[in-house]
Amino acid sequence: MARNAEYLSPEIVNWGVEDSGPYAGSPSFRVKVRRGLPDFLNSVNLKYVKLGYGYLLSHGIYCVAAPVLLATFGTQIWKLTWTTSFLDFTNFLNLIALLVFFCSVLYVYLDLTPRATYLVDFACYRPPNELKISKEEFTDLAKRSGKFSDAAIEFQQRVLKNSGLGDETYLPRIIFQPDHKITLRDGREEASMLMFGAVDNLLAATRIRPEDIRILIVNCGVLNPTPSLSAMIINHYKLSYKIQSFNLGGMGCAAGVTAIDLAKDLLSAYPGSYALVVSIEATTFTWYAGRELDMLLPNCFFRMGSAAILLSNHLTDRWRSKYELKQLVRTHKAMDSRSFKSIHLKEDAEGKKGLSVSKDVIEVGGHALKANITTLGPLVLPVSEQFHFFTSLLFKKKSKPYIPDYKRAFEHVCILATSKKVLDEIQKNLDLTNEYMEASRRTLERFGNTSSSSVWYELAYLEANKKIKRGDRIWQIALGSGFKCNSAVWKALRNVKQQKRNPWNDAED
């Protein structure tokens, strides 16, 4: 335990306090910080605890108060109906007034109560086999491209070795072609293959007509052409002229959950509609062929992938839907400059564009994660866990705050498959078992970091292995530039069977 605390804590080293040894020298001191996730056991920010209970009260108070009012007035109406003589004109008017008020309260209750958001189905795209690339082939193609120095090749080879990626991830071969400069056409072609592949699978599975889709949201971090990616989908599938289209760009790996949140709000504005969410990342535009080590990291982790999700809030769609959205919490830390600069698109000294990943990214990501789960806790944790938590806060001078056991709130966890190191840190801090981490680690190994679509490949893995049972709760955690941490909690509406178009079905053509 002491070793872990030292790893995650600042250390003040005094020089000149000894005549010999490692701390000998002139009198001075320095602070050493080993970057990593913050220790969740040492501090709890009450601001986020308050925020979580604020969400709980704002969503729950009306749902509790309105039925009580309805029951009270219903009782009064029943009494007047059976005890009042209708020949008494005054009492008859009182009865009519109560009926009108009862109907008004009922209408407002039904109108203001948020409609449930159902996930009808989703589909992940598996690129063709000719785009598969092993780690050894990656290094060989990078060398033959002539775009990297020996130091850059060695660095990427070393990162890949400990990345957690396997030898069957996907990359567009065009990025390795010597003397080829990536063009907008390359990005559009990759995006078209990913988007249309995922949407085709989804439409085939749900048998929804494209013209029935009212809301379309597409998110992609780096590639943002004109016309937009959402316009490309509208044109390809000839969607309705009534379509409400949105294109989210520059929001990183957490944008997929952000798109789900936007779709939920839009479904409230357009009830009884279908919302299509498409999450992709164009690796041709995240690829960097230069010398800066911090900009070479995305080359080692980002791989091709996409997901298409169909949502509805129509009650009649509940019977055919797989999941219901129970909670969604978004945390943004861009007000902190270190978080804001941790991942950003820039040009190096030679004018080559790429994503820069700072050494602080794991630490700032940990702070965002801690804030997010602290806010989420009151919404999902059992009462017993919250009781222990508040008891520890009351006596915090005597002991550390009690960190709730999130395993009691969820049956499955899908953490964005960023890298092996990040998954290790999150598993350790949340005290998750290997079973909870299985979907994330297997997705990282098989498909790599597919950005915002990663959590959907993980859910597809759970479905392919028949692990989703009716009533199961699934926690999706997405982290991305900004810095952002988003959580979505789904509840399974039925036992989910393995589907023909699941990307984990290796027998599929």
Side-chain angles (χ1 to χ4, degrees):
M1 292 298 294
R3 185 177 180 182
N4 290 340
E6 182 181 351
Y7 176 79
L8 297 171
S9 304
E11 175 187 1
I12 298 179
V13 179
N14 293 298
W15 299 86
V17 296
E18 299 177 0
D19 295 331
S20 62
Y23 301 140
S26 58
S28 63
F29 75 93
R30 68 173 180 172
V31 178
K32 295 169 60 179
V33 178
R34 183 74 178 273
R35 293 180 176 86
L37 288 183
D39 189 349
F40 292 1
L41 297 175
N42 283 332
S43 63
V44 175
N45 194 327
L46 294 181
K47 175 175 67 174
Y48 296 107
V49 177
K50 181 180 177 182
L51 181 61
Y53 280 100
Y55 287 155
L56 181 64
L57 291 175
S58 65
H59 286 80
I61 191 169
Y62 191 81
C63 295
V64 172
V68 173
L69 286 173
L70 290 174
T72 302
F73 285 109
T75 303
Q76 293 300 318
I77 292 173
W78 183 84
K79 288 181 179 179
L80 284 173
T81 302
W82 292 100
T83 61
T84 300
S85 171
F86 285 99
L87 298 177
D88 189 333
F89 186 71
T90 302
N91 288 335
F92 179 73
L93 290 179
N94 289 337
L95 176 62
I96 295 299
L98 273 174
L99 283 170
V100 171
F101 187 80
F102 177 83
C103 293
S104 300
V105 173
L106 179 62
Y107 174 79
V108 173
Y109 172 69
L110 294 176
D111 186 55
L112 293 183
T113 302
R115 291 192 178 203
T117 301
Y118 301 114
L119 194 162
V120 180
D121 208 343
F122 71 97
C124 298
Y125 177 66
R126 192 176 69 184
N129 288 334
E130 57 264 26
L131 296 181
K132 276 186 183 180
I133 186 168
S134 66
K135 289 180 282 188
E136 182 180 353
E137 188 179 11
F138 177 99
T139 304
D140 182 56
L141 290 174
K143 289 178 180 178
R144 288 193 288 171
S145 70
K147 299 177 180 180
F148 300 99
S149 64
D150 291 341
I153 294 291
E154 182 182 353
F155 174 77
Q156 291 178 92
Q157 191 173 14
R158 188 168 65 249
V159 172
L160 278 171
K161 182 179 179 180
N162 302 310
S163 63
L165 273 70
D167 290 325
E168 293 187 324
T169 59
Y170 302 89
L171 274 175
R173 300 282 173 158
I174 196 169
I175 60 178
F176 295 106
Q177 289 185 6
D179 301 324
H180 178 78
K181 185 177 180 180
I182 300 298
T183 64
L184 191 57
R185 180 178 180 178
D186 298 328
R188 281 199 177 107
E189 288 179 353
E190 182 189 0
S192 297
M193 178 178 62
L194 295 173
M195 292 190 304
F196 302 156
V199 175
D200 285 346
N201 289 342
L202 180 65
L203 294 178
T206 60
R207 299 182 181 178
I208 292 291
R209 298 181 305 169
E211 55 266 28
D212 292 335
I213 297 171
R214 182 71 183 276
I215 299 164
L216 172 65
I217 304 171
V218 180
N219 70 271
C220 182
V222 179
L223 177 63
N224 290 286
T226 301
S228 66
L229 298 176
S230 59
M232 291 169 60
I233 291 180
I234 294 172
N235 177 263
H236 183 79
Y237 293 99
K238 309 304 177 186
L239 301 185
S240 170
Y241 69 94
K242 295 181 180 180
I243 192 74
Q244 300 295 313
S245 172
F246 298 84
N247 201 96
L248 306 182
M251 301 190 73
C253 301
V257 178
T258 302
I260 296 294
D261 193 23
L262 177 58
K264 174 177 68 72
D265 292 340
L266 289 170
L267 284 171
S268 298
Y270 300 94
S273 304
Y274 286 113
L276 173 63
V277 175
V278 181
S279 298
I280 73 161
E281 190 58 81
T283 52
T284 49
F285 268 62
T286 62
W287 186 257
Y288 170 70
R291 300 170 180 269
E292 299 293 331
L293 301 187
D294 60 319
M295 299 172 70
L296 288 169
L297 282 172
N299 290 0
C300 304
F301 294 100
F302 280 127
R303 296 295 184 265
M304 298 174 68
S306 62
I309 304 97
L310 185 67
L311 302 172
S312 171
N313 66 353
H314 203 288
L315 189 59
T316 57
D317 282 318
R318 179 184 175 88
W319 69 271
R320 56 178 287 182
S321 298
K322 288 183 175 181
Y323 306 97
E324 179 184 346
L325 181 63
K326 303 303 292 184
Q327 303 293 345
L328 197 150
V329 174
R330 294 164 53 192
T331 302
H332 212 306
K333 305 288 282 186
M335 65 290 298
D336 173 62
S337 295
R338 214 159 54 109
S339 298
F340 177 74
K341 297 177 181 178
S342 60
I343 302 176
H344 65 284
L345 187 67
K346 72 172 189 179
E347 295 176 339
D348 63 11
E350 299 176 356
K352 295 178 179 178
K353 190 180 297 184
L355 282 172
S356 171
V357 181
S358 77
K359 296 179 180 179
D360 297 327
V361 68
I362 293 182
E363 184 181 353
V364 301
H367 286 296
L369 175 62
K370 184 173 73 170
N372 185 267
I373 65 175
T374 305
T375 306
L376 180 68
L379 304 173
V380 298
L381 287 169
V383 176
S384 59
E385 288 296 308
Q386 298 190 45
F387 175 77
H388 286 306
F389 173 71
F390 273 108
T391 303
S392 70
L393 285 181
L394 293 175
F395 302 100
K396 62 182 179 180
K397 293 183 179 180
K398 298 181 180 180
S399 62
K400 293 180 181 179
Y402 173 77
I403 300 302
D405 184 2
Y406 283 87
K407 296 190 294 294
R408 296 190 61 188
F410 310 105
E411 282 70 40
H412 311 282
V413 178
C414 299
I415 305 168
L416 185 81
T418 51
S419 69
K420 181 179 181 298
K421 182 178 181 181
V422 171
L423 294 180
D424 288 344
E425 290 285 346
I426 293 177
Q427 179 178 9
K428 180 174 65 177
N429 275 272
L430 294 183
D431 193 26
L432 298 175
T433 63
N434 290 333
E435 184 179 2
Y436 276 93
M437 299 298 297
E438 181 181 342
S440 300
R441 294 192 187 279
R442 289 287 291 115
T443 299
L444 179 64
E445 178 187 4
R446 177 64 180 85
F447 292 98
N449 182 349
T450 60
S451 189
S452 56
S453 64
S454 175
V455 291
W456 298 107
Y457 282 89
E458 295 167 26
L459 185 54
Y461 174 84
L462 295 173
E463 290 186 359
N465 288 274
K466 302 179 182 179
K467 295 190 175 185
I468 303 295
K469 307 299 180 184
R470 182 177 181 179
D472 282 1
R473 296 156 297 178
I474 302 97
W475 181 17
Q476 291 180 327
I477 306 174
L479 302 106
S481 60
F483 199 93
K484 298 180 289 295
C485 179
N486 298 335
S487 288
V489 179
W490 303 91
K491 182 179 180 180
L493 299 177
R494 54 186 169 89
N495 295 344
V496 180
K497 300 178 181 179
Q498 185 177 8
Q499 293 182 312
K500 179 181 177 182
R501 292 177 175 84
N502 192 299
W504 295 90
N505 183 5
D506 289 332
E508 181 184 352
D509 293 332

